[in-house]
Amino acid sequence: SSELWSAAFSADGSRLATSAEDGAVQIYDTSSWAPIGDPLDTNVDTLSVAFTLDGSTLLAGTGDGRLFSWDVASREEIRRPQRVHGTNDVWEIVLNPDGKRVATGGSDGSVGVLSLDTGALIASPFSLAARTEGGVTGLAWSSDGRVLYAGGRDGRVHSWDLARGREGEVSTIGHDDAVQDASISRDG
């Protein structure tokens, strides 16, 4: 057995996916906690997992910068693993509320927004200047999916307006250290 790095429930709560240092991605049935089939394998440390909103696709981010996507029912890869953060760890996978886009965050502080349908890069939010000051972590979408928030290693919360393609507001009050995670309240 290997160290677990991440766990994610499907939106309906019927499945749990885990990712492990040895590259194993296991899906469980939450009614019995029994594994569903053998683990999916990335052959490299797998640091993050997320189900799409409809639960049909499972995404996994790896320690070598790739994003895997599997059809949950057939357990087949949907497309070849994509290199989304060079060779840097993919620490974050956050689905947009529209179910059509996903944001990923890398250990180098970079962020990418991808189309779930095609895998194409839609945007590379947050400026190079922000990245060189330590980058961003802890991604979260606004409830309407128009703004992506990220905790900064500078102790502030940053926002990215996807429609305008530019950085928005930055919190004026910072924390004493990096903001490691972010979430949005249900009412936005």
Side-chain angles (χ1 to χ4, degrees), residues 15 24-29 34-40 72-75:
R15 295 188 176 121
V25 176
Q26 183 65 61
I27 302 172
Y28 297 89
D29 178 332
I36 299 173
D38 292 332
L40 302 165
V72 172
S74 71
R75 302 174 61 81

Side-chain angles (χ1 to χ4, degrees), residues 150-166:
R153 292 192 182 134
D154 62 359
R156 300 189 188 290
V157 177
H158 299 261
S159 67
W160 182 267
D161 183 321
L162 196 62
R164 292 186 178 138
R166 63 184 168 108

Side-chain angles (χ1 to χ4, degrees), residues 77-99:
E77 283 186 2
I78 292 172
R79 68 181 58 83
R80 289 186 50 180
Q82 297 173 258
R83 193 151 307 270
V84 293
H85 291 286
T87 57
N88 297 290
D89 300 341
V90 180
W91 283 111
E92 297 273 342
I93 302 173
V94 183
L95 279 293
N96 185 288
D98 70 7

Side-chain angles (χ1 to χ4, degrees), residues 134-151:
V136 295
T137 58
L139 302 174
W141 288 101
S142 62
S143 58
D144 65 6
R146 294 178 183 174
V147 178
L148 180 63
Y149 295 96

Side-chain angles (χ1 to χ4, degrees), residues 7 30 38 48 54 56 69 86 92 109 112 123 126 131 144 164 178 186:
T30 59
D38 292 332
S48 52
D54 65 4
S56 67
S69 55
E92 297 273 342
F126 305 105
R131 288 187 209 148
D144 65 6
R164 292 186 178 138
R186 290 190 178 163

Side-chain angles (χ1 to χ4, degrees), residues 108-185:
D108 63 345
S110 65
V111 177
V113 177
L114 306 159
S115 163
L116 280 173
D117 290 335
T118 66
L121 182 67
I122 296 170
S124 297
F126 305 105
S127 68
L128 182 58
R131 288 187 209 148
T132 60
E133 293 169 12
V136 295
T137 58
L139 302 174
W141 288 101
S142 62
S143 58
D144 65 6
R146 294 178 183 174
V147 178
L148 180 63
Y149 295 96
R153 292 192 182 134
D154 62 359
R156 300 189 188 290
V157 177
H158 299 261
S159 67
W160 182 267
D161 183 321
L162 196 62
R164 292 186 178 138
R166 63 184 168 108
E167 192 157 359
E169 300 293 319
V170 177
S171 64
T172 57
I173 300 173
H175 294 272
D176 291 337
D177 206 343
V179 176
Q180 294 296 332
D181 206 357
S183 65
I184 300 294
S185 63

Side-chain angles (χ1 to χ4, degrees), residues 5-6 18-25 40-50 58-70 77 79-93 103-108 110 114:
W5 284 106
S6 182
T18 60
S19 64
E21 188 171 20
D22 65 1
V25 176
L40 302 165
D41 194 7
T42 64
N43 292 313
V44 65
D45 55 329
T46 306
L47 307 170
S48 52
V49 288
L58 179 65
L59 304 170
T62 64
D64 66 356
R66 293 181 295 160
L67 183 68
F68 284 73
S69 55
W70 292 279
E77 283 186 2
R79 68 181 58 83
R80 289 186 50 180
Q82 297 173 258
R83 193 151 307 270
V84 293
H85 291 286
T87 57
N88 297 290
D89 300 341
V90 180
W91 283 111
E92 297 273 342
I93 302 173
T104 60
S107 60
D108 63 345
S110 65
L114 306 159

